[in-house]
């Protein structure tokens, strides 16, 4: 289980970096607005990857004995993940003067969609017998 978790986190980070790089490349490399869009996209990726990594770390350490304790622990880490995501987005909105919301949201959504791609890829791998 840890292997798939690490792969999904790595894929999310790579997707976020790729989206930030694409924003930087296609909006005029080196220009101030291009840099702001790339940084906005990078913060969108951070708002997904960092909370997911924290949740994965916390859930991996849950006591495996009592099922209801595991459910409560999972809900606790999910709440922490949501609160950290909101805190990152609020901090970026407050402290980044030229925030590009489209860039941030594209990166955020792109990183979130990596989960589905990983699950589809894993399902395809199982069906093929590899």
């Amino acid at each position: 289980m840890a292997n798939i978790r690490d792969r999904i986190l790595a894929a999310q980070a790579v997707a976020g970096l790729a989206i930030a790089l694409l924003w930087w490349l296609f909006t005029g490399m080196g220009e101030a607005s291009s840099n702001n869009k790339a940084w906005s996209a990078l913060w969108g990726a951070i708002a997904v990857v960092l909370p997911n990594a924290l949740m994965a770390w916390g859930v991996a350490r849950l006591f495996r004995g009592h099922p209801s304790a595991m459910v409560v622990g999972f809900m606790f880490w999910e709440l922490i993940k949501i609160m950290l995501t909101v805190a990152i987005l609020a901090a970026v909105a407050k402290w980044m003067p030229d925030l590009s919301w489209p860039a941030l949201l594209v990166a955020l959504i792109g990183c979130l969609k990596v989960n589905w791609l990983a699950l589809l890829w894993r399902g395809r791998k199982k069906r093929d017998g590899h």
Side-chain angles (χ1 to χ4, degrees):
M1 189 64 162
N3 197 13
I4 188 74
R5 179 187 66 227
D6 295 341
R7 285 183 184 176
I8 289 174
L9 286 170
Q12 285 179 331
V14 168
L17 289 172
I19 292 169
L21 180 65
L22 288 173
W23 274 104
W24 184 69
L25 288 173
F26 290 117
T27 57
M29 296 182 293
E31 295 178 16
S33 67
S34 174
N35 291 339
N36 287 336
K37 290 176 183 173
W39 277 107
S40 297
L42 199 56
W43 277 110
I46 289 169
V48 172
V49 176
L50 185 64
N52 279 344
L54 182 63
M55 181 181 173
W57 176 82
V59 169
R61 279 139 187 81
L62 288 177
F63 180 69
R64 303 226 189 286
H66 202 276
S68 61
M70 288 178 59
V71 170
V72 170
F74 179 81
M75 289 178 2
F76 169 78
W77 284 106
E78 185 67 30
L79 178 64
I80 295 297
K81 180 178 90 168
I82 292 168
M83 290 172 33
L84 182 57
T85 300
V86 170
I88 290 170
L89 293 174
V92 170
K94 180 175 176 146
W95 289 311
M96 191 168 174
D98 295 327
L99 178 66
S100 171
W101 281 101
L104 183 136
L105 292 174
V106 165
L108 189 137
I109 292 168
C111 288
L112 287 173
K113 293 302 174 188
V114 169
N115 291 350
W116 291 103
L117 294 174
L119 291 173
L120 287 173
W121 182 64
R122 184 174 181 218
R124 177 173 286 168
K125 242 177 126 173
K126 280 186 176 181
R127 273 192 309 234
D128 292 344
H130 297 136

